[in-house]
Amino acid sequence: DAKTTQPNSMESNEEEPVHLPCNHSTISGTDYIHWYRQLPSQGPEYVIHGLTSNVNNRMASLAIAEDRKSSTLILHRATLRDAAVYYCILKGSSNTGKLIFGQGTTLQVKP
Amino acid sequence: ETGVTQSPTHLIKTRGQQVTLRCSSQSGHNTVSWYQQALGQGPQFIFQYYREEENGRGNFPPRFSGLQFPNYSSELNVNALELDDSALYLCASSFSATSEYNEQFFGPGTRLTVL
């Protein structure tokens, strides 16, 4: 299973953009890049996913490097509610749909 | 649309006992996955059930077992509880077992404490 590397923690100010990086240098051609986040005392929730092209949804944007060895989750205006652990996960067809979580990045948002 | 629900919310057991945790999947989902999350760690995949059959297993011993019912709800059973089994147990449901892009919907978890 391909591995991802994320910073342990990041800080942001409220209403400012946040860029959460993820390195996945051993990604295979068919691996999708998924992001989940886990708010305090809750189960993880899906944020966004992509394969090659940048993606946008109501929660965030995902920027994928041209060589696919890294990606960045972008929160355009952080709110206090965005304080969570963010997980970058690679999901391929060979892993029976399981999600392999790393340590994730703990995002603190300051008012 | 009802989301993923889990019961009980909290549970305290003693070493050597057995426990059953329950999960109701989101409407229309036929796949349920179970994860164990120790304090301060990311969730670890235990196993997945697809249409009532086990469809993949993580690195957990046989005393972790499960069931999926015709309505796609699921149970996680743990026998001979050990202190290290203390964790948050998460259930997640999805439309498909193997899709690379299919998102999983998680429940709030069951907090198990083994004394």
Side-chain angles (χ1 to χ4, degrees), chain A residues 30-32 34 36 38 41-46 49 87 91-103, chain B residues 33 35 37 40-45 48 55-57 88 90 97-108:
Chain A
T30 55
D31 285 341
Y32 280 74
H34 285 242
Y36 281 73
Q38 188 170 20
S41 302
Q42 295 188 26
E45 66 174 346
Y46 167 82
H49 74 268
Y87 297 100
K91 197 158 179 280
S93 59
S94 62
N95 62 7
T96 69
K98 68 183 178 185
L99 297 173
I100 301 171
F101 289 83
Q103 291 291 103
Chain B
S33 302
Y35 295 81
Q37 186 173 25
Q41 304 294 317
Q44 299 293 304
F45 176 75
Q48 181 183 83
N55 182 51
R57 188 179 184 93
L88 181 68
L90 295 160
T98 60
S99 170
E100 303 93 319
Y101 48 80
N102 207 18
E103 64 182 275
Q104 293 190 16
F105 295 80
F106 284 80

Side-chain angles (χ1 to χ4, degrees), chain B residues 30-42:
Chain B
N30 58 22
T31 303
V32 172
S33 302
W34 285 91
Y35 295 81
Q36 179 195 65
Q37 186 173 25
L39 208 58
Q41 304 294 317

